[in-house]
Structures are given as C-alpha cells and as structure tokens.
C-alpha cells in the first residue's frame, strides 16, 4: 500500500524522469562511443575502452577543419540572429506595431517551413542574385532560420517578466538606460543566452540548408555525412560529447546567475513586507 501510494503521488515525476532518460539515451551512447576503439572503421559496437580519442581529437585533420569552420559559422550566425531576434522580441512585446499579427505569422512560417523548401529557396535567391555559394551564404542562410527561434525564446522571457520592477526603479529616479542595464537586462539575460545557445546548436547541427548553399565549403555535419560512406572516425563522438558538455555548462552557469539576479529583488520584497 505504501509503495502504491508513493507511486500515485509521484507518477508525474516518474514519467518525467523516464522521458528525460529516453531523450538522454542517444547522448549517453555517443559519450560511451567516444571512449571506444572500434574493431574496424565500419563497426559501431563497443570493442575496447581507450582514451586515445580524447588525447588526439584532431587525428583526422579534415574533420578538425570542418569543426572550426562550423564553429565560425555558428558564432557569426548566433551573434547576428541574437541581436536581431532580441530587438524584434522587445518591439513585439513592449510596443504596439502595425502589422504585428503579420510579423508573428512570418516568424511562425520561418519555423514551420521545411528545411528542404528553405534551402532550395535560398539557393534560388543566391543564384538569381549572382552570389557565389560559400562561407558567407551559409552564414546568411543560418541567420534566416535562427532569428525566429531567438524571437520566440526571448519573447517568452519578456512576457513572463514583472514590469513592476522596472517601474519601481524609475520611481527611485533611475533613467531608462540605468533601468535597462540594472533591472531589465539581468532579468532577460537568461532568455537571451538560452536563445543564443539554441541558435548556435541549430547552426552547428544544420545539414540540409547548408548542403544547398555551401558550394565547396565543408562543415562538420557535411563531413560526417561524407565520412559515413567509408566509416565515421571515433573522434566524431568526442566532438559531439564535448559540445554537449559545453552547452550544459553554459546553461547551468546562466541559470545560476539568473537565480542570483532575482534574489535581491525577492529579498527587498520580503524586507518591505516585514516592515
């Protein structure tokens, strides 16, 4: 009876843990294979434990060049998409714009459009404009589909923010810039960082849109696709595991900083209530 009652009281938590475990299973497999010495290049079973893959992550020079290129593209696309998406999110939440509903539809269409359609459309645009495909066409293409995800993420953060904190700062004779720097930005920063991480992961992981607009440029996903025919090197799992660990670390640091930023406001409210 106690066990059944415990299960009934916590069934939501149990289901959530099962879903998270299911979603984390591929990541755990990739992390495990990063310590594997395969019996052959076409074998993906766990053969022998080794640390050589982590000691020599650039054993294949072409792969490291592709990783660096993907990081450069992802960084540029993330910076541009985060700036444009954050400004657009502030405009949609804080101001009443003409055509606001139309802008929301365009943002949704950019997210809902299949990558095949977006890739071919951008290719047709670049060809008709006479722009040679390469590094910068990939950056432009990635910014195109990353902006929508940034807008949605930052707008959700802004919609859930308490405007009374900004009004209280202005009542204490803070100007608009001081209010933005000391109140608004620290509260919105976790959403902006989350949007930037999402944009970078989407850019780094993209294959379909990149394949249409890359020309002779080879990114990391394109390298993996080409290497699958002759055997994927185990260092690919090292890169995947490292990227996931870095993203997890940045997310944890951002969440911790967000809690610290919200703590003074809650302490001030508690002090005022006590008085």
């Amino acid at each position: 009876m106690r066990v059944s009652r415990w299960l009934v009281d916590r069934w939501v938590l149990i289901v959530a843990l099962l879903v998270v475990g299911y979603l984390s299973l591929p990541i755990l497999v990739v992390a495990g294979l990063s310590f594997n010495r395969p019996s052959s290049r076409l074998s993906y079973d766990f053969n022998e434990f080794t640390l050589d893959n982590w000691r020599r992550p650039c054993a294949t020079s072409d792969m490291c060049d592709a990783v660096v290129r993907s990081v450069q593209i992802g960084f540029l696309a993330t910076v541009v998409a985060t700036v444009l998406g954050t400004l657009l999110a502030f405009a949609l939440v804080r101001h009443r714009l003409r055509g606001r509903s139309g802008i929301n539809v365009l943002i949704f269409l950019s997210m809902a459009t299949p990558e095949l359609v977006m890739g071919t459309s951008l290719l047709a645009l670049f060809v008709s404009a006479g722009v040679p495909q390469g590094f910068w066409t990939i950056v432009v293409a990635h910014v195109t589909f990353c902006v929508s995800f940034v807008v949605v993420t930052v707008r959700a953060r802004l919609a859930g923010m308490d405007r009374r904190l900004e009004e209280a700062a202005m009542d204490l004779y803070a100007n608009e810039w001081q209010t933005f720097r000391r109140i608004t930005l620290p509260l919105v920063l976790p959403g902006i960082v989350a949007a930037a991480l999402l944009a970078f992961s989407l850019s780094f992981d993209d294959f379909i849109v990149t394949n249409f607009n890359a020309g002779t440029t080879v990114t990391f996903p394109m390298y993996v696709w080409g290497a699958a025919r002759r055997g994927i090197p185990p260092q690919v799992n090292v890169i995947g595991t490292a990227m996931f660990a870095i993203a997890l670390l940045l997310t944890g640091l951002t969440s911790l900083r967000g809690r610290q930023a919200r703590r003074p406001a809650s302490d001030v409210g508690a002090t005022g209530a006590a008085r």
Side-chain angles (χ1 to χ4, degrees):
M1 292 295 294
R2 292 181 178 179
V3 174
S4 60
R5 182 177 301 175
W6 186 87
L7 293 175
V8 171
D9 293 338
R10 294 171 175 82
W11 69 272
V12 176
L13 177 62
I14 295 173
V15 173
L17 292 177
L18 291 176
V19 172
V20 171
Y22 174 76
L23 295 176
S24 303
L25 186 60
I27 300 174
L28 297 177
V29 172
V30 171
L33 291 177
S34 66
F35 297 98
N36 179 39
R37 179 182 286 117
S39 56
S40 64
R41 292 184 64 89
L42 296 176
S43 176
Y44 300 100
D45 57 339
F46 195 87
N47 180 51
E48 182 182 355
F49 180 83
T50 182
L51 295 175
D52 293 340
N53 301 329
W54 286 88
R55 294 193 186 102
R56 298 183 297 122
C58 290
T60 306
S61 60
D62 294 341
M63 186 195 71
C64 282
D65 293 339
V67 171
V68 172
R69 197 170 296 113
S70 291
V71 171
Q72 293 173 346
I73 294 172
F75 175 78
L76 293 174
T78 298
V79 171
V80 177
T82 302
V83 173
L84 296 178
T86 301
L87 294 177
L88 183 56
F90 269 94
L92 293 175
V93 174
R94 296 297 178 84
H95 303 279
R96 293 184 178 181
L97 303 175
R98 292 183 178 180
R100 182 177 179 180
S101 58
I103 296 175
N104 291 326
V105 172
L106 291 177
I107 293 173
F108 174 75
L109 286 178
S110 179
M111 299 174 59
T113 302
E115 292 188 0
L116 182 64
V117 176
M118 180 172 291
T120 54
S121 301
L122 289 170
L123 176 60
L125 174 64
F126 293 138
V127 171
S128 61
V131 179
Q133 286 76 44
F135 182 90
W136 292 107
T137 55
I138 299 176
V139 173
V140 173
H142 287 192
V143 170
T144 302
F145 65 78
C146 286
V147 168
S148 299
F149 292 93
V150 174
V151 172
V152 172
T153 305
V154 177
R155 185 170 61 180
R157 182 70 179 179
L158 285 171
M161 195 178 70
D162 192 356
R163 292 292 302 273
R164 291 176 297 179
L165 298 175
E166 296 174 304
E167 295 173 357
M170 291 184 178
D171 287 340
L172 296 175
Y173 303 103
N175 56 35
E176 294 183 356
W177 168 246
Q178 291 174 336
T179 302
F180 176 80
R181 184 170 60 89
R182 295 179 179 272
I183 304 297
T184 307
L185 184 59
L187 293 176
V188 182
L189 186 61
I192 297 176
V193 175
L197 291 176
L198 178 60
F200 182 84
S201 63
L202 291 173
S203 175
F204 187 86
D205 186 60
D206 182 75
F207 172 77
I208 299 177
V209 177
T210 303
N211 192 33
F212 278 101
N213 301 277
T216 58
T217 304
V218 178
T219 61
F220 181 63
M222 295 179 65
Y223 172 84
V224 174
W225 176 75
R229 305 175 185 177
R230 59 183 183 273
I232 299 177
Q235 285 79 8
V236 171
N237 300 312
V238 175
I239 300 300
T241 305
M243 294 297 296
F244 175 76
I246 293 172
L248 190 63
L249 178 62
L250 292 176
T251 303
L253 292 176
T254 305
S255 300
L256 181 62
R257 184 172 181 177
R259 291 181 180 180
Q260 292 177 352
R262 290 192 299 268
R263 188 174 301 170
S266 61
D267 293 343
V268 171
T271 303
R275 292 179 180 177

